[in-house]
Amino acid sequence: MAQRYDALGRDFTIHASVCTISSVIYLHIAAKSFQKNLAYRAANVAGILTNTFFGAIYISIYTALFRGRGDVGGLDVRDAVTYAIIAQSLLMVMSAFGNRELSEAIVKGQIVTDLSRPLDFYLYWAAIDLGRAVYFLLFRGAPTFVIGMLIFRGRLPADAGTWLLFFSSIVTGTLLSFTFRFIANSLAFWTTDARGILYLTNTLLMFFAGFIVPINFFPAWLRTLAEALPFRGLAQVPINVYLGKMTGPALARVLGEQVLWLIAWVLIGRWVLGRMVQRLTVNGG
Amino acid sequence: MISVVALKKEFRVYRHHRGALGAVRNLVTREAHVVHAVDGVSFRIAPGELVGYLGPNGAGKSTTLKILTGILVPTDGEVRVAGRVPWLQRTEHVRGLGAVFGQRTGLWWDLPVIESLDLLRHIYRVPADRYRQNLRLFDALLDLGPFLDTPVRSLSLGQRMRADLAAALLHDPMLLFLDEPTIGLDVVAKERIRGFIRAINRERGTTVILTTHDLGDVEKLCERVIMIDHGRLVFDGALETLRQRFGEGRVLVVDFETPPGPLSLPGAETIRQEANRVWLRVAAHGSVAGIVPLLFRDQRVLDLSVQEPEIEEVVRRIYEGHLLADEAG
């Protein structure tokens, strides 16, 4: 079999055995990343309280908003309360505030060390983010969800199938979030200060995900725009799946679109990475 | 082990115009000029060598190392490391490679040292018993024990460097790249690191390429020196040859019984005189043995010593570009 390489020298030939061994390595990396996050227990307790507090604020706003109305944008008051609880639970899982780990590694030149390992740089960071997301799902999202549900009496999904679809859409959302943040962080390489770009991209991400205001409440034109963008996969899609508002062929279409976005972002991310490596000479170090 | 032939790496730099109008111009016009970071460098390194790769800032050292690591693809030229082309078979290539970039760490900042080492064990697929064996050896040589459970962010610079060296060698690489391994360390820490590098090179036969601005590292460790400047090879040979060829010659310090008159000696030049003591520079290719008898001819000599040219001085003069012109002429 002829071997194929890309500009980064990655072997594109697929060997089944090699793939199994290396995926184990990336699982080890994800596990270490999980463990790293585990070190910040006190911060996490404070985080759960903050998420619950903001959830309470949203819920009191929605309760006031719904007074005398049965339905806003397809959601009733209990749906809206549930939306607020889940949105707060998913915030950190989806890294909605962004994280600058990668852009800092790039700016400080740390990536030269990472590139000298027998690893795929992109998968390496994907594994790190996976470990982070699993940590936040278990230790931030789950407690925030349980506390919110107990205090504010949100809705529970209709059946086990809904739970399953809900979790699949969380997985897709996490991957969308990572692939997008990888590109945003990589842009740090071309600017002297990455913060400007990251503020902008994170605001886009948070708003169009439906974390700040449910997309269901958007005016028609803005809703059309939000639904054309992939960011809603981080919050609006999983929550609507959970509430049973997105089912059947409509849901299949949305998830299909998100997979296409995912592929596009992986390709763009890898392309940007290739450009970045080619430019490493200029910065020296 | 390593063969580099006519290696070239060029990159484009775009000119940036200053000011508000300049920013607009930057959008429209892209004036590029080509920088030759590495410009036709060739060398071979045999297995087991410990080579100092020197050059002033911006000479092209890092670029060469990045090409040898497989991170960068050169513009032109041939590179083989253990029979492989680094950038074409990057993953297999780096499996046999250890690298320490002194200003950065290869360890995870927030995790205890041992956790990073454990992760590297999995990444490089080091068998469990080999891992334990290496860890024991590195602990004996580098005294890692006291800080194995400390997060990397809490380590001192010297401890971090020791941990990084251990991390780079866990998988028994045939080839080790060290980029400024002693930068910022105190004398004791430097000596410890140097001792370790020497031990690994001698006992395991690991080929080492060392980039440094600390000429103490070079003097203590390297028999061979490769020097580049402006992307070109300036010198490749033994450290001693470098001293002889580029040094301004040895200096003979003579204490006479009484102040001597003006000395006229073939092959030596008086550079300083204080009372009874005279400093004579012996031409770079001259012989001290030929001059000494002449000193005894007219006067009584009380003491005599020979000063070798300081390597720092030699390197400083090469970096400043004085000697290249001499060589050409």
Side-chain angles (χ1 to χ4, degrees):
Chain A
M1 182 160 42
Q3 289 194 308
R4 295 180 53 231
Y5 303 101
D6 68 354
L8 269 178
R10 285 181 307 248
D11 187 346
F12 263 43
T13 328
I14 308 293
H15 306 282
S17 59
V18 171
C19 286
T20 351
I21 295 167
S22 18
S23 56
V24 171
I25 291 170
Y26 295 106
L27 285 180
H28 278 293
I29 294 166
K32 287 286 182 228
S33 166
F34 180 87
Q35 195 182 341
K36 182 186 91 177
N37 283 286
L38 213 50
Y40 303 101
R41 276 180 218 123
N44 191 51
V45 171
I48 293 170
L49 292 176
T50 312
N51 288 145
T52 308
F53 176 69
F54 274 94
I57 291 177
Y58 276 110
I59 287 165
S60 60
I61 294 173
Y62 294 157
T63 314
L65 180 77
F66 274 86
R67 191 158 295 150
R69 292 181 180 206
D71 179 294
V72 178
L75 302 181
D76 65 19
V77 69
R78 263 191 91 196
D79 291 334
V81 166
T82 313
Y83 194 111
I85 296 168
I86 302 179
Q88 288 301 316
S89 309
L90 286 181
L91 263 180
M92 292 307 289
V93 179
M94 298 296 172
S95 200
F97 299 100
N99 65 0
R100 303 221 307 271
E101 230 179 316
L102 174 61
S103 68
E104 275 169 13
I106 293 168
V107 170
K108 291 179 185 158
Q110 183 67 40
I111 75 165
V112 175
T113 316
D114 296 339
L115 286 169
S116 66
R117 304 251 182 254
L119 292 171
D120 181 294
F121 186 80
Y122 193 85
L123 291 180
Y124 172 69
W125 280 92
I128 289 176
D129 201 61
L130 176 69
R132 184 204 56 76
V134 172
Y135 165 81
F136 277 112
L137 184 68
L138 294 179
F139 290 90
R140 180 69 74 82
T144 307
F145 177 80
V146 171
I147 294 169
M149 284 295 173
L150 288 176
I151 300 177
F152 304 108
R153 308 284 164 118
R155 258 186 223 296
L156 284 172
D159 49 37
T162 310
W163 274 113
L164 197 69
L165 283 172
F166 174 58
F167 280 113
S168 329
S169 60
I170 288 178
V171 172
T172 321
T174 312
L175 293 174
L176 275 169
S177 167
F178 166 73
T179 50
F180 176 73
R181 282 181 291 114
F182 186 93
I183 299 167
N185 271 266
S186 301
L187 294 178
F189 193 71
W190 283 272
T191 55
T192 34
D193 186 6
R195 273 175 296 184
I197 288 177
L198 293 179
Y199 280 140
L200 184 73
T201 51
N202 286 335
T203 310
L204 271 177
L205 186 113
M206 248 192 153
F207 183 73
F208 285 108
F211 274 122
I212 302 172
V213 177
I215 293 175
N216 308 52
F217 295 175
F218 283 10
W221 65 273
L222 195 58
R223 189 170 176 162
T224 313
L225 176 63
E227 284 175 356
L229 295 171
F231 303 110
R232 62 177 174 144
L234 277 64
Q236 197 240 2
V237 172
I239 299 172
N240 276 279
V241 167
Y242 178 98
L243 291 172
K245 305 282 173 191
M246 215 178 255
T247 47
L251 175 62
R253 221 196 68 213
V254 170
L255 290 180
E257 276 172 18
Q258 300 210 323
V259 170
L260 289 180
W261 274 108
L262 207 53
I263 294 169
W265 274 349
V266 171
L267 292 176
I268 295 170
R270 283 192 172 277
W271 178 77
V272 170
L273 174 63
R275 299 284 301 172
M276 198 159 70
V277 171
Q278 284 313 300
R279 287 285 298 268
L280 276 177
T281 335
V282 185
N283 287 28
Chain B
M1 171 63 80
I2 299 178
S3 133
V4 173
V5 181
L7 183 67
K8 279 189 185 173
K9 178 70 187 176
E10 296 170 355
F11 55 86
R12 288 169 179 281
V13 176
Y14 294 98
R15 237 185 91 191
H16 287 274
H17 300 280
R18 265 180 271 172
L21 265 180
V24 178
R25 278 178 72 188
N26 287 338
L27 292 175
V28 211
T29 60
R30 305 230 298 165
E31 289 169 59
H33 69 276
V34 174
V35 173
H36 304 271
V38 179
D39 196 10
V41 167
S42 305
F43 57 82
R44 297 177 76 88
I45 292 174
E49 277 197 88
L50 204 170
V51 178
Y53 195 59
L54 308 185
N57 291 329
K61 299 188 301 277
S62 287
T63 307
T64 317
L65 279 190
K66 281 176 199 154
I67 292 169
L68 289 177
T69 312
I71 299 175
L72 286 180
V73 181
T75 315
D76 198 11
E78 270 181 49
V79 178
R80 287 278 188 287
V81 180
R84 293 198 187 94
V85 179
W87 58 94
L88 289 185
Q89 290 143 285
R90 193 185 70 88
T91 313
E92 296 90 330
H93 167 65
V94 294
R95 222 166 255 295
L97 184 79
V100 176
F101 300 93
Q103 318 231 37
R104 284 143 206 157
T105 179
L107 307 163
W108 280 30
W109 201 243
D110 296 306
L111 284 180
V113 174
I114 190 73
E115 296 292 343
S116 280
L117 297 181
D118 179 60
L119 180 61
L120 289 170
R121 170 169 82 93
H122 290 295
I123 291 177
Y124 289 95
R125 297 174 208 154
V126 183
D129 52 340
R130 184 65 193 155
Y131 172 71
R132 271 195 300 275
Q133 232 175 326
N134 270 342
L135 206 57
R136 211 165 353 177
L137 174 73
F138 298 155
D139 181 31
L141 290 171
L142 293 167
D143 193 21
L144 304 173
F147 54 88
L148 271 181
D149 294 315
T150 312
V152 175
R153 66 181 132 79
S154 315
L155 298 183
S156 74
L157 188 59
Q159 291 174 328
R160 208 218 74 208
M161 201 65 84
R162 276 140 70 193
D164 258 310
L165 272 172
L169 287 159
L170 267 185
H171 58 291
D172 298 308
M174 313 170 294
L175 182 60
L176 179 64
F177 291 158
L178 300 171
D179 191 5
E180 305 258 11
T182 58
I183 195 162
L185 300 185
D186 64 49
V187 187
V188 179
K190 273 183 187 176
E191 274 311 314
R192 176 165 226 154
I193 301 267
R194 286 169 185 162
F196 180 72
I197 296 170
R198 200 182 299 116
I200 289 297
N201 170 253
R202 293 213 181 131
E203 283 159 32
R204 300 196 159 184
T206 309
T207 311
V208 183
I209 298 187
L210 172 77
T211 296
T212 184
H213 285 294
D214 186 323
L215 294 163
D217 292 349
V218 179
E219 282 196 285
K220 295 258 165 65
L221 294 173
C222 310
E223 279 168 18
R224 179 177 166 200
V225 166
I226 296 175
M227 194 180 282
I228 62 166
D229 192 14
H230 292 102
R232 287 167 187 277
L233 196 90
V234 185
F235 178 83
D236 181 358
L239 186 64
E240 203 39 51
T241 317
L242 181 76
R243 204 196 300 266
Q244 279 167 18
R245 180 154 5 135
F246 292 112
E248 284 188 292
R250 284 159 296 178
V251 172
L252 201 57
V253 186
V254 192
D255 287 333
F256 292 101
E257 195 177 43
T258 52
L263 296 166
S264 148
L265 302 162
E269 170 202 357
T270 308
I271 48 173
R272 202 168 145 206
Q273 180 165 0
E274 274 172 25
N276 297 0
R277 180 171 283 190
V278 179
W279 283 262
L280 297 164
R281 173 166 292 137
V282 182
H285 305 286
S287 154
V288 174
I291 292 158
V292 171
L294 303 177
L295 295 171
F296 287 89
R297 204 175 44 195
D298 307 321
Q299 328 227 10
R300 266 198 68 168
V301 173
L302 297 178
D303 199 3
L304 194 104
S305 66
V306 182
Q307 292 175 347
E308 290 289 328
E310 290 283 331
I311 192 71
E312 308 223 357
E313 180 68 9
V314 174
V315 170
R316 185 181 63 75
R317 292 177 64 226
I318 297 178
Y319 285 5
E320 283 172 358
H322 295 318
L323 293 157
L324 297 177
D326 297 356
E327 282 285 289

